[in-house]
Amino acid sequence: MTVRSVVLGCGSYLPRQILTNAELATRVDTSDEWIVQRTGIRQRHIAAEGEFTSHLAINAARAALADAGLDAQAIDLIVLATSTPDNTFPATAVAVQHGLGINHGAAFDLQAVCSGFVFALATADNFLRTGAYKRALVIGAETFSRILDWNDRGTCVLFGDGAGAVVLEAQDQPGKSGDRGVLTTHLRSDGRHKSKLYVDGGPSSTQTVGHLRMEGREVFKHAVGMITDVIVDAFNATGLSAEDINWFVPHQANKRIIDASAHKLHIAPQKVVLTVDRHGNTSAASIPLALSVAVRDGRIKRGDLVLLEAMGGGFTWGSAVLRW
Ligand code: ACO
């Protein structure tokens, strides 16, 4: 027997306001056609004034707990992936913990930009498998609209706000690839690329929040290779192949990156879960948002093998394979 982190439920939350490409084209020199052709994005959600990352996260967490049929008191670990915290400190995770009425266990933020959810899942999985905690909420929540330069057409068209969450429980499983739960995770980073995608502010450097800056072509150039490498690591570790995978749920940055990665790995297009058209790039929130969509519409079912991957600022990148 071995301990695995099994998904008990998932949920998500999107702010009510939708910003379409056509509306964006009235603010900056762009067009629906350009954005759709280069990225696949048609619209994104934008948090309302006074709506913070913690609010989005709490709503997603409540939805995940309801899906799991659990009371918040059953949770003893919260790992919140975000690059857009409510405050520099305390961690947004403790605001979420408080909002859910939990005052036992531990809650902390984790920052790996767009790879944040995969890093948070791997972190929670390791804590659960050691027996340190029993049930975890793993959340990705972002308000990227707050760090965008709305005059920079090269970046402001790409991102959106939202949150998603999964509930994990430590459970004994036979220790085979047919087990339910997280089967493997692989995390990577390489700081040589840190100035290709970054925020030009921070408490220690400028004492300002700053705005997102990106060399889009450079990110694009590295993305597919990094994503596919770390997925091959996951296949090698589990003995699984692209054919075994039921659902590929990638970080939703850009449809062209997703299509090229799936193609290179020989993952059939009908197995790819795509939400970038409706959500834009919601950074750490994109994978749990996409999981939630595919569970709600009946695609991902108990027992399905699900492959996750993400790549983001740093660069950071990672993969995970889990049986739902
Ligand atoms: N609308 C119209 N024209 C635009 C826009 C826009 N929104 N943005 C840039 N352009 C123009 C540029 O000014 C340039 O014009 P020029 O040729 O007259 O100088 C032209 O379009 C081409 O610009 P590029 O930046 O070279 O365009 P590219 O084809 O590389 O597409 C894009 C840009 C979509 C950002 C692409 O590089 C990309 O997808 N990169 C990956 C970035 C990404 O996904 N980042 C997300 C974070 S990281 C992650 O999550 C993986």
Side-chain angles (χ1 to χ4, degrees), residues 1-322:
M1 296 297 270
T2 191
V3 180
R4 300 273 193 202
S5 309
V6 174
V7 177
L8 297 184
C10 75
S12 62
Y13 175 80
L14 288 161
R16 194 169 305 165
Q17 191 200 337
I18 291 174
L19 180 61
T20 64
N21 291 348
E23 286 169 286
L24 258 177
T26 65
R27 298 188 194 182
V28 286
D29 184 14
T30 190
S31 65
D32 178 56
E33 192 193 3
W34 191 96
I35 301 170
V36 171
Q37 197 226 329
R38 305 283 174 125
T39 72
I41 298 167
R42 294 179 184 277
Q43 61 170 52
R44 69 288 293 144
H45 290 249
I46 304 291
E49 203 181 327
E51 194 173 35
F52 300 164
T53 295
S54 61
H55 303 141
L56 274 49
I58 288 168
N59 282 321
R62 286 199 177 119
L65 286 165
D67 187 45
L70 277 184
D71 186 272
Q73 298 310 320
I75 299 297
D76 54 3
L77 176 68
I78 299 174
V79 186
L80 172 64
T82 189
S83 305
T84 46
D86 293 5
N87 298 92
T88 302
F89 76 78
T92 301
V94 300
V96 173
Q97 185 191 30
H98 179 64
L100 295 173
I102 306 170
N103 50 24
H104 59 266
F108 59 90
D109 287 0
L110 186 152
Q111 209 269 61
V113 207
C114 297
S115 310
F117 184 77
V118 175
F119 276 59
L121 185 81
T123 303
D125 175 46
N126 278 293
F127 273 120
L128 293 182
R129 285 189 297 107
T130 63
Y133 298 98
K134 179 71 181 157
R135 279 179 219 92
L137 261 171
V138 182
I139 309 170
E142 304 278 17
T143 47
F144 259 52
S145 63
R146 305 271 155 74
I147 55 164
L148 294 176
D149 175 351
W150 287 98
N151 296 312
D152 176 12
R153 67 178 182 170
T155 54
C156 76
V157 302
L158 302 176
F159 297 91
D161 301 336
V166 299
V167 179
L168 296 178
E169 182 179 72
Q171 287 184 6
D172 285 331
Q173 294 282 316
K176 308 241 165 67
S177 64
D179 288 358
R180 286 188 72 205
V182 178
L183 301 181
T184 194
T185 58
H186 297 265
L187 307 181
R188 296 286 309 279
S189 59
D190 184 347
R192 284 177 297 179
H193 303 287
K194 69 184 172 63
S195 54
K196 293 185 177 124
L197 175 52
Y198 68 105
V199 169
D200 62 4
S204 177
S205 54
T206 59
Q207 299 87 57
T208 61
V209 171
H211 291 111
L212 183 148
R213 306 293 174 203
M214 180 178 74
E215 294 175 36
R217 284 211 163 172
E218 279 295 309
V219 176
F220 200 96
K221 204 172 80 186
H222 288 90
V224 177
M226 288 177 163
I227 289 164
T228 50
D229 277 359
V230 81
I231 290 174
V232 169
D233 288 346
F235 287 158
N236 289 340
T238 53
L240 296 164
S241 72
E243 282 192 3
D244 299 312
I245 298 298
N246 298 106
W247 300 108
F248 178 41
V249 187
H251 166 50
Q252 308 281 320
N254 181 312
K255 187 173 183 302
R256 286 190 299 155
I257 295 175
I258 294 171
D259 288 347
S261 305
H263 181 75
K264 196 171 164 190
L265 291 159
H266 305 293
I267 297 173
Q270 61 271 22
K271 294 181 175 180
V272 182
V273 176
L274 266 182
T275 52
V276 71
D277 54 333
R278 285 158 285 164
H279 301 168
N281 180 348
T282 57
S283 191
S286 91
I287 291 175
L289 271 163
L291 282 171
S292 214
V293 166
V295 168
R296 290 291 99 72
D297 69 20
R299 274 179 288 175
I300 298 180
K301 292 187 258 335
R302 189 180 164 131
D304 282 353
L305 205 51
V306 180
L307 169 66
L308 314 179
E309 64 77 7
M311 182 255 184
F315 291 140
T316 54
W317 64 109
S319 64
V321 176
L322 56 152

